[in-house]
Amino acid sequence: MDRLNLSVALIVYNEEERLAKTLESIKDIASEIIVIDSNSTDNTCAIAESYGAKIYNEEWRGFVEQKNSLTKKCTKEYILYLDADEVVGYELKKAIIDAVMSGKSDGCYIRRKTHYLGRLLNYSWQKDEKLRLVKSSANPLWVGEIVHEELKINGRISHLAGYIIHYSYRDIDDHFKRTIRYAHLSAESYYKKGKKFKLSKMIFSPFIAFVKIYIIKGGFLDGIPGFIAGVSAFVYGFLKYAFLWDIIRVNKNKDLDK
């Protein structure tokens, strides 16, 4: 099969362990692979080059800026945005081919399932669906805050069959280190927007987050990994408000010292 009129776009940093699997899953359908690297110190760029990727090195400016920079470098009719830890499944690949060949949709939502601690989670962190396949003519624009970026377009949107397999966390240590980091970034975002700290939020939000993932969404059916996913939601829900309290405290003390 001839390759599609499709650009696959990724931002990367030190992804030598996972990038090859991602690129292997789309190498036969992408006419071009666009990669923005932010000064990786491992073999990330060499791996990308081995798949024929066009590589640009840019200082890190945040997810929104990096991804909008990706868009400007893509030259094909459709753009598929992927993270370096995501693999396109067989059913999804067929759906992407059909969508690009027909050209009926200006954008397509794609489901993700996380592969975590040796198993594919079918309930935890669901429903996880992202707008990822878009026409370049639909004016794709990434918007958002420090943590949660989102893709916007003009035009008709559909939903594709199949899913991306998300190899998000290498292990429990990586998972909870990132949970702490994202909680801190969320707290910084809250502070910049002028959100006030409420003790009730710090007390009740973690429990609500755990119940939502483990009970309501059926995370208990994912076994021990599903329970750990629920606990991580509890930790994240607690820490983002604890960090917000601390940021407000520190900045209030700075103002008093002036």
Side-chain angles (χ1 to χ4, degrees):
M1 187 194 84
D2 292 335
R3 291 178 180 176
L4 302 173
N5 195 354
L6 173 70
S7 302
V8 173
L10 308 93
I11 57 174
V12 299
Y13 175 72
N14 284 353
E15 289 288 355
E16 67 177 7
E17 295 178 16
R18 302 186 286 192
L19 183 59
K21 186 180 290 187
T22 298
L23 298 182
E24 189 70 26
S25 72
I26 52 84
K27 68 177 184 179
D28 56 337
I29 61 172
S31 290
E32 69 176 5
I33 300 170
I34 305 296
V35 171
I36 292 181
D37 179 70
S38 298
N39 301 311
S40 289
T41 56
D42 62 5
N43 292 318
T44 294
C45 289
I47 292 168
E49 285 177 355
S50 72
Y51 283 89
K54 299 176 184 177
I55 303 171
Y56 302 85
N57 193 283
E58 297 182 5
E59 293 293 330
W60 180 251
R61 295 166 293 170
F63 289 104
V64 169
E65 291 296 327
Q66 298 296 95
K67 290 185 177 182
N68 282 328
S69 183
L70 271 178
T71 302
K72 296 173 184 177
K73 296 170 173 59
C74 294
T75 66
K76 303 305 176 182
E77 180 184 12
Y78 275 87
I79 304 171
L80 174 64
Y81 297 93
L82 290 176
D83 292 340
D85 58 2
E86 295 177 337
V87 173
V88 173
Y90 178 73
E91 185 182 5
L92 174 59
K93 185 185 291 189
K94 291 197 300 181
I96 291 171
I97 293 170
D98 291 343
V100 174
M101 294 291 286
S102 70
K104 292 179 180 179
S105 297
D106 298 296
C108 301
Y109 277 94
I110 295 175
R111 292 166 57 215
R112 296 194 307 175
K113 290 187 179 183
T114 298
H115 192 277
Y116 180 54
L117 300 179
R119 67 183 294 172
L120 190 66
L121 304 188
N122 291 309
Y123 301 94
S124 305
W125 296 314
Q126 293 297 311
K127 184 179 182 181
D128 185 5
E129 196 173 36
K130 309 288 185 184
L131 181 60
R132 290 293 192 83
L133 178 67
V134 299
K135 277 186 177 178
S136 55
S137 59
N139 300 315
L141 179 68
W142 288 90
V143 298
E145 304 166 3
I146 299 173
V147 182
H148 305 292
E149 75 277 9
E150 183 181 7
L151 182 58
K152 300 285 189 181
I153 65 165
N154 300 322
R156 297 164 297 176
I157 297 178
S158 62
H159 299 257
L160 296 186
Y163 52 85
I164 286 170
I165 303 170
H166 189 202
Y167 293 88
S168 180
Y169 304 113
R170 293 176 172 87
D171 50 33
I172 293 174
D173 181 66
D174 177 45
H175 180 183
F176 279 83
K177 281 180 179 176
R178 284 205 260 171
T179 297
I180 294 169
R181 180 159 57 90
Y182 292 149
H184 200 282
L185 290 173
S186 289
E188 289 177 356
S189 178
Y190 284 169
Y191 180 75
K192 288 179 180 178
K193 291 191 295 185
K195 189 165 185 174
K196 294 181 179 180
F197 169 79
K198 293 182 179 179
L199 179 60
S200 59
K201 286 281 190 180
M202 190 167 71
I203 293 172
F204 294 111
S205 290
F207 290 100
I208 293 170
F210 176 84
V211 169
K212 184 177 180 180
I213 284 185
Y214 192 64
I215 305 298
I216 296 175
K217 293 193 174 185
F220 62 92
L221 296 171
D222 287 322
I224 296 299
F227 178 73
I228 295 172
V231 171
S232 75
F234 180 97
V235 171
Y236 174 80
F238 169 77
L239 284 178
K240 67 180 177 181
Y241 289 106
F243 283 137
L244 176 61
W245 174 84
D246 196 42
I247 291 169
I248 292 171
R249 177 189 65 82
V250 169
N251 282 278
K252 187 180 292 184
N253 288 338
K254 286 181 181 178
D255 291 339
L256 292 174
D257 292 337
K258 288 181 180 179

